[in-house]
Amino acid sequence: MADITRRLGWRHLRGAPTAHIRHHRGGKLLHDGPGLSFWYRALTAALSEVPVDDRELAMTFHARTSDFQDVAVQATVTYRISDPALAATRLDFSVDPDTGAWRGTPLEQLGTLLTETAQQHALDVLSRTPLSVALVDGVTAVRERIATGLAGEPRLPATGIEVVAVRVVALRPEPEVERALRTPAREQIQQEADRATYERRAVAVERERAIAENELASQIELARREEQLVEQRGTNTRREAEEGAAADAVRAEAEAARTVRLAEAEATRSVRLARAEAEGAREVGEARAQAQAAWLRVHAEVDVATLHALTGTRLAENLPRIDSVTVSPDVLTGLLARLGTREQV
């Protein structure tokens, strides 16, 4: 919308660079072009403002496929007014000289024209296409058909309209049909998910089995090594026992040899001692015999009285000490009798 200001009965219009302004007064064109700025009188001026920038027109309409299924088409058409002077003569782009607002609805009329034209071509292509094909390739086919149809529409160039681009955003069936179509895909996806789950579980089971086999192999290897260790320990024990037995045998032999040597030495010493004792006993016997012989010779040469005296002396030496002697009459009688007998003899 143009920017209009008032000054003492005059109006000043300042247009935008994207708006084409046309100023007529008395049927004559005084100003024509985008981004104009000029003074005018409201009572005598006829103004029109035509936008020349690119415009986006979003449209949504329903169509029916060849198998009688309803689909919703969402599309966007980009257009521009390439001939503002021609468009101003075909559509009402006049503005109020006091406010700058459009007196009519030219853009709505233009949007209706584009929408109906695009819808006509989209319905034409979808009516000969089944739903399954339309959902797969319908977006491209509808876009190309709309673009071709708008380019060949004679009313648009006659109105000064140029179509820049056509985009089909979506092509969707009714919600019930869409849910029905989604069901096989969802089931397939679910089957894929289940298969992936089963495969993952199978892989997990296989890994667990491999782990169990590895653990079992490890246990078998440990048992084998433990058996080897026990066998080696037994071998070491036997070797230690054999070496100990050999050492004990060596010690026993050494001890026996030492014992034999000691026994031989003891026997030799005993023999020597026995010989010495025998020799000493023999010498003592000989000495005793000599002494006895000498004693006998001495006593043989001595008289009887001397022998009796020596006998009494020796007897007295060997008798115990007698502090007191009690002689009973009987003993005295016997002694006297013996003495008398001896005298008589």
Side-chain angles (χ1 to χ4, degrees):
M1 187 175 65
D3 183 13
I4 297 177
T5 57
R6 300 179 181 182
R7 291 291 187 275
L8 301 174
W10 288 85
R11 304 292 186 268
H12 183 270
L13 183 144
R14 183 174 59 188
T18 57
H20 189 95
I21 305 298
R22 291 174 63 86
H23 176 210
H24 292 79
R25 187 178 63 187
K28 294 181 179 181
L29 182 61
L30 301 180
H31 299 91
D32 185 16
L36 297 180
S37 178
F38 53 88
W39 291 91
Y40 66 92
R41 287 184 178 272
L43 296 177
T44 59
L47 302 175
S48 61
E49 181 182 7
V50 181
V52 294
D53 57 340
D54 291 348
R55 296 269 173 159
E56 301 286 342
L57 177 62
M59 57 184 70
T60 300
F61 52 88
H62 292 272
R64 180 169 293 183
T65 61
S66 61
D67 49 0
F68 305 101
Q69 299 295 326
D70 291 336
V71 292
V73 181
Q74 297 179 1
T76 302
V77 176
T78 303
Y79 68 95
R80 72 168 65 99
I81 300 176
S82 59
D83 192 346
L86 180 59
T89 61
R90 300 298 300 271
L91 297 174
D92 186 11
F93 283 99
S94 63
V95 297
D96 190 330
D98 290 328
T99 61
W102 277 317
R103 295 180 184 272
T105 57
L107 294 181
E108 293 181 4
Q109 296 175 6
L110 185 57
T112 302
L113 174 62
L114 292 173
T115 301
E116 291 178 352
T117 304
Q119 184 176 0
Q120 178 182 357
H121 294 286
L123 293 176
D124 186 35
V125 69
L126 289 176
S127 63
R128 294 191 300 270
T129 306
L131 179 62
S132 59
V133 178
L135 294 178
V136 176
D137 300 325
V139 173
T140 303
V142 170
R143 182 183 67 249
E144 293 177 354
R145 183 59 181 273
I146 292 176
T148 304
L150 291 177
E153 179 65 28
R155 187 179 175 184
L156 296 179
T159 313
I161 307 302
E162 179 185 356
V163 176
V164 178
V166 176
R167 298 186 302 277
V168 178
V169 180
L171 188 67
R172 302 185 61 178
E174 293 182 346
E176 295 80 5
V177 178
E178 187 174 5
R179 284 194 296 270
L181 294 175
R182 287 178 178 177
T183 300
R186 288 184 177 179
E187 291 180 355
Q188 184 177 1
I189 293 173
Q190 185 64 38
Q191 291 176 1
E192 294 292 336
D194 294 340
R195 183 164 58 253
T197 302
Y198 297 149
E199 290 178 357
R200 185 168 61 252
R201 290 180 180 176
V203 172
V205 171
E206 183 66 21
R207 290 180 179 176
E208 290 179 357
R209 185 185 64 80
I211 293 173
E213 290 181 356
N214 291 333
E215 291 180 353
L216 181 60
S218 299
Q219 293 178 0
I220 293 174
E221 182 65 20
L222 290 176
R224 186 180 63 81
R225 292 186 179 182
E226 186 175 0
E227 182 180 1
Q228 293 179 354
L229 179 61
V230 171
E231 183 179 357
Q232 186 64 35
R233 286 180 177 175
T235 303
N236 295 337
T237 303
R238 288 194 300 272
R239 185 177 299 172
E240 291 178 358
E242 292 175 357
E243 292 179 356
D248 293 339
V250 172
R251 285 196 297 270
E253 291 179 359
E255 186 67 22
R258 188 175 65 84
T259 303
V260 170
R261 289 196 298 271
L262 291 176
E264 291 178 354
E266 185 67 22
T268 303
R269 187 172 63 250
S270 298
V271 171
R272 291 178 181 177
L273 181 60
R275 289 178 180 177
E277 289 180 352
E279 185 68 23
R282 186 179 62 76
E283 292 179 357
V284 170
E286 291 178 356
R288 287 181 178 178
Q290 293 177 3
Q292 187 69 25
W295 185 78
L296 290 174
R297 285 194 305 270
V298 171
H299 284 75
E301 294 176 358
V302 178
D303 55 0
V304 176
T306 303
L307 290 175
H308 287 169
L310 291 173
T311 301
T313 303
R314 296 293 297 275
L315 181 61
E317 289 178 355
N318 294 324
L319 289 176
R321 182 180 178 180
I322 301 174
D323 294 331
S324 62
V325 178
T326 301
V327 180
S328 62
D330 296 334
V331 175
L332 183 58
T333 300
L335 290 175
L336 291 178
R338 290 178 180 178
L339 290 175
T341 302
R342 288 179 178 179
E343 288 179 358
Q344 291 176 1
V345 173

